Every structure is written in C-alpha cells, then in structure tokens.
C-alpha cells in the first residue's frame, strides 16, 4: 500500500512540475473555444520559438472549455487531485515536492495540459516545452494512466483553482 501511495505521489508531482513550473506568459482565451495563441510557458519564449506546439503532443487538438465551469468535472478533478496529486502539489504557487498549481491554466493551453496528463512519456521525449520544464524542475512525471475524463476533470479543477468562471 505504501509503495502504491509513493508511486501516485510521484506521478502527481510530474504532472504539476511539467505543467506549472515557470513564469507567466500571455493569457489564453476562455469560454467554449480554445486558442493557440498561448505561449509554451516557463522560459519566457513562445512555443514557436522553442520549436514546440503549444497544444503539445497527443490526441487533444481542440479541448472545448465549459462556461461556466462544470461542477461534475470539477468534482472528478478534485477527487483525482486528492488521490494522486495532493501529496506533492499545493493549490497555491508554493512548492511542496513539486510546484504549486496556481496559474497553470494561464501558462499552458488546455490541450497541452490534457496531452501532458495523458501522454506524459511522449511529451517528455518530444515536446521541447516539457523537456525545458524537466530541466528546470529536475523531476520526471511518471505516467498516471489517467483516463480522458479524469484528465479533463483535473483541467476543470485547475481552471476553478485559477479563478476561471
């Protein structure tokens, strides 16, 4: 049981590390449409400058955001956070084992967050923004095997945490 908890904690750490380390970038749009104008985050350079797709690598190319936030998805995301992420990540910008989640939805596109959450190994291998975050944070995110619904719930929970409506 302890081994399983340690693995879950490490996995949560990786998601947050690669999605929330770094500085502020341009804000992306809210509502039901997504935008590709957000920069890759973390180092002040745009995704194009870094040779990285701001949507990341994976199947998520257009994540439809809810407006207002979806309470059921938030509940799912909160549950995933409490089981797999909370032991390593705070909901503030304060670092625990990994960085806090505050502001992550301002630094990353919804697609990047979803692709990283569900396709972590390929993202770390091929996405230059993820690689840059690994260099900064020095912690590799383990694959949590999140379902698409769980990853979408985590995204909605992150949006709520960042004060999105």
């Amino acid at each position: 049981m302890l081994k399983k908890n340690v693995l879950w904690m490490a996995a949560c750490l990786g998601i947050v590390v690669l999605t929330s380390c770094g500085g502020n970038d341009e804000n992306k749009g809210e509502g039901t449409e997504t935008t590709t104008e957000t920069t890759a985050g973390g180092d002040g350079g745009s995704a194009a400058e870094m040779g990285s797709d701001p949507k990341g690598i994976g199947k998520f190319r257009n994540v439809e955001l809810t407006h207002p936030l979806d309470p059921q998805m938030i509940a799912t995301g909160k549950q995933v956070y409490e089981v797999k992420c909370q032991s390593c990540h705070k909901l503030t910008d304060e670092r625990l084992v990994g960085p806090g989640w505050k502001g992550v939805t301002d630094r990353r596109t919804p697609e990047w967050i979803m692709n990283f959450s569900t396709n972590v190994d390929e993202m770390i291998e091929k996405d230059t923004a993820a690689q840059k975050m690994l260099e900064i944070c020095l912690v590799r995110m383990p694959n949590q095997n999140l379902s698409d619904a769980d990853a979408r719930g985590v995204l909605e929970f992150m949006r709520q945490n960042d004060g999105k409506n």
Side-chain angles (χ1 to χ4, degrees), residues 21-25 39-47 50 107-108 129 132-133:
C21 275
N24 291 327
D25 289 336
T39 59
D43 67 347
S46 73
M50 293 176 39
R107 293 187 300 272
R108 303 282 180 212
K132 180 75 172 176
M133 296 312 304

Side-chain angles (χ1 to χ4, degrees), residues 16-28:
V16 173
V17 165
L18 292 176
T19 59
S20 67
C21 275
N24 291 327
D25 289 336
E26 299 173 19
N27 290 337
K28 59 187 159 296

Side-chain angles (χ1 to χ4, degrees), residues 103-157:
V104 69
T105 61
D106 296 324
R107 293 187 300 272
R108 303 282 180 212
T109 64
E111 295 82 6
W112 196 97
I113 293 169
M114 294 281 296
N115 282 321
F116 185 75
S117 298
T118 60
N119 191 31
V120 69
D121 295 325
E122 188 173 14
M123 285 281 290
I124 291 173
E125 288 176 23
K126 299 178 181 176
D127 183 81
T128 55
Q131 292 167 354
K132 180 75 172 176
M133 296 312 304
L134 180 59
E135 289 175 17
I136 293 168
C137 297
L138 303 175
V139 178
R140 183 179 177 94
M141 174 67 192
N143 187 339
Q144 286 292 330
N145 296 311
L146 291 183
S147 69
D148 293 355
D150 284 349
R152 182 60 182 89
V154 168
L155 172 61
E156 199 78 346
F157 182 63

Side-chain angles (χ1 to χ4, degrees), residues 89-111:
H89 305 284
K90 292 189 175 191
L91 296 176
T92 65
D93 59 2
E94 182 182 350
R95 187 176 195 120
L96 190 55
V97 175
W101 279 10
K102 182 106 176 117
V104 69
T105 61
D106 296 324
R107 293 187 300 272
R108 303 282 180 212
T109 64
E111 295 82 6

Side-chain angles (χ1 to χ4, degrees), residues 38-60:
T38 302
T39 59
D43 67 347
S46 73
E49 292 170 35
M50 293 176 39
S52 179
D53 184 341
K55 293 185 178 191
I57 297 168
K59 64 183 173 182
F60 295 101

